[in-house]
Amino acid sequence: MLSKKTKYGLKALLFLARQEKNTPVQISMISKSENISQKFLESILLTLRKIGVLGSKKGKNGGYYLLKDPQDIKMSLVMRTLEGPIAMVPCVSLNFYEKCDDCPDETLCGVHTLMAEVRDKTLDIFNNKSLADLV
């Protein structure tokens, strides 16, 4: 299941994508509009700022804004950043691989084969969807 952190991050990105380009939006405005706890939202937006998706401006007219064009913000980056590994099990993860303790041979494991296929299909969708596609 999608975590609240990821769901709220996507909602905030969509809200920012609908604003005039490079216009900072205060956290309180996003929080109120999207019904997200302001404190929780601050943490999410800071995470997205650290990976270069968002910029921020301090002061009276400050807030957060998209640093990249929505077309250039791939869902795979957002999902990995906020949700973690895309793979459902660690033995098929491309970026967070770990061998399963209970599996002597991945090549003979039906769960491994199925989850690799699920990962590939999911990645295909996330790599080919941008924030612009969701707006």
Side-chain angles (χ1 to χ4, degrees), residues 115-126:
M115 291 299 108
E117 185 177 349
V118 169
R119 176 211 58 212
D120 291 345
K121 301 277 187 198
T122 304
L123 248 173
D124 184 51
I125 293 168
F126 288 156

Side-chain angles (χ1 to χ4, degrees), residues 103-110 112-113:
C103 186
D105 187 352
E106 290 174 0
T107 61
L108 300 176
C109 179
H112 177 87
T113 304

Side-chain angles (χ1 to χ4, degrees), residues 13-96:
L13 285 171
L14 285 166
F15 183 88
L16 291 170
R18 292 183 181 110
Q19 306 307 307
E20 189 175 322
K21 192 172 182 175
N22 296 329
T23 302
V25 179
Q26 293 181 345
I27 292 175
S28 59
M29 180 185 243
I30 303 168
S31 172
K32 186 175 181 180
S33 174
E34 299 301 321
N35 197 28
I36 303 170
S37 155
Q38 189 168 327
K39 188 170 180 126
F40 191 31
L41 184 58
E42 284 178 32
S43 169
I44 295 166
L45 297 180
L46 182 61
T47 299
L48 293 169
R49 186 176 69 92
K50 285 180 182 176
I51 63 162
V53 170
L54 297 180
S56 63
K57 181 180 175 187
K58 294 183 180 189
K60 183 180 175 185
N61 296 318
Y64 282 90
Y65 55 93
L66 294 180
L67 273 180
K68 297 180 176 184
D69 187 275
Q71 191 75 20
D72 297 327
I73 301 174
K74 297 294 179 196
M75 287 300 100
S76 53
L77 173 65
V78 174
M79 295 302 290
R80 279 191 175 117
T81 299
L82 296 176
E83 193 68 24
I86 290 171
M88 296 176 79
V89 291
C91 66
V92 298
S93 179
L94 298 175
N95 295 327
F96 304 95

Side-chain angles (χ1 to χ4, degrees), residues 14 70-71 73-75 125 128-135:
L14 285 166
Q71 191 75 20
I73 301 174
K74 297 294 179 196
M75 287 300 100
I125 293 168
N128 290 297
K129 292 287 181 188
S130 70
L131 184 57
D133 295 317
L134 304 181
V135 176

